[in-house]
Amino acid sequence: MVPNDFAILIISHGRPDKMRVIHAMKKINYTGKYYIIIDNEDSTADEYYRLFGDKVIMFDKSKLDGTFDIMDNFDGRSVPVFARNVLYDIARDLGLKYFLELEDDTMDFVHRYVNKDNRLGSMRVRDFDSIVNAMLEFLETSNADVVAFIQGGDL
């Protein structure tokens, strides 16, 4: 079991029917809390609420305007940085001490390692609760501010 002061916060926009991460979380036997974070400019918000009910948390994107540099020279309103930056406030409002931010299109969780042929191998995660607990223990004992997982595409 993961601690009650931890939750996964999933950012999403316009894809309530493509929440691959929910299926992925079930495959790895995650038993803790999770929430889907959407903004008030999402035209598919009603579908999120229909499918996921009280797991959906909506934030007001306009309240974040001008509070940080979005680092985008184009239409900056469509970037995920708004959701990422509001997660700390949402976690605080939910009474969370810890959270893990995931994307809605996360499809799998694997351990990566170098095999005997000196090649990168992988093994599917089977018990994500134990990984969360190990991550939280490391976070506390190391005095780190952040612990992160890497996405496979980054390798």
Side-chain angles (χ1 to χ4, degrees):
M1 290 246 348
V2 297
N4 202 38
D5 58 357
F6 172 85
I8 293 176
L9 304 180
I10 303 164
I11 63 171
S12 189
H13 182 93
R15 300 191 288 203
D17 56 334
K18 295 180 179 156
M19 296 292 296
R20 294 177 174 149
V21 69
I22 303 294
H23 177 68
M25 287 167 31
K26 289 178 183 175
K27 281 193 327 188
I28 59 174
N29 300 307
Y30 175 69
T31 64
K33 297 184 287 191
Y34 71 90
Y35 300 93
I36 300 163
I37 312 304
I38 63 172
D39 63 73
N40 63 328
E41 297 176 6
D42 192 327
S43 63
T44 62
D46 289 342
E47 186 67 2
Y48 279 100
Y49 286 112
R50 185 184 75 74
L51 293 170
F52 303 106
D54 63 356
K55 299 275 189 216
V56 179
I57 297 174
M58 180 184 286
F59 71 94
D60 185 346
K61 195 182 264 190
S62 66
K63 287 186 177 179
L64 298 173
D65 280 341
T67 62
F68 56 89
D69 185 345
I70 61 171
M71 305 299 284
D72 191 340
N73 293 329
F74 303 102
D75 178 17
R77 303 210 47 87
S78 65
V79 295
V81 70
F82 287 94
R84 289 186 182 126
N85 280 356
V86 79
L87 291 183
Y88 292 92
D89 294 331
I90 290 171
R92 207 172 359 266
D93 292 346
L94 291 170
L96 301 175
K97 184 175 180 182
Y98 311 99
F99 68 90
L100 172 64
E101 183 262 323
L102 293 177
E103 310 289 323
D104 58 9
D105 60 352
T106 301
M107 296 173 49
D108 208 1
F109 295 85
V110 297
H111 299 280
R112 300 296 287 208
Y113 61 93
V114 177
N115 66 22
K116 63 182 179 174
D117 298 324
N118 207 28
R119 298 181 63 113
L120 190 59
S122 65
M123 180 177 62
R124 281 218 159 84
V125 169
R126 297 189 202 298
D127 177 13
F128 198 64
D129 287 3
S130 66
I131 292 173
V132 167
N133 288 323
M135 174 188 68
L136 296 177
E137 182 180 338
F138 175 77
L139 186 63
E140 286 291 325
T141 59
S142 69
N143 291 317
D145 291 326
V146 175
V147 175
F149 298 118
I150 189 169
Q151 297 184 85
D154 294 339
L155 300 172

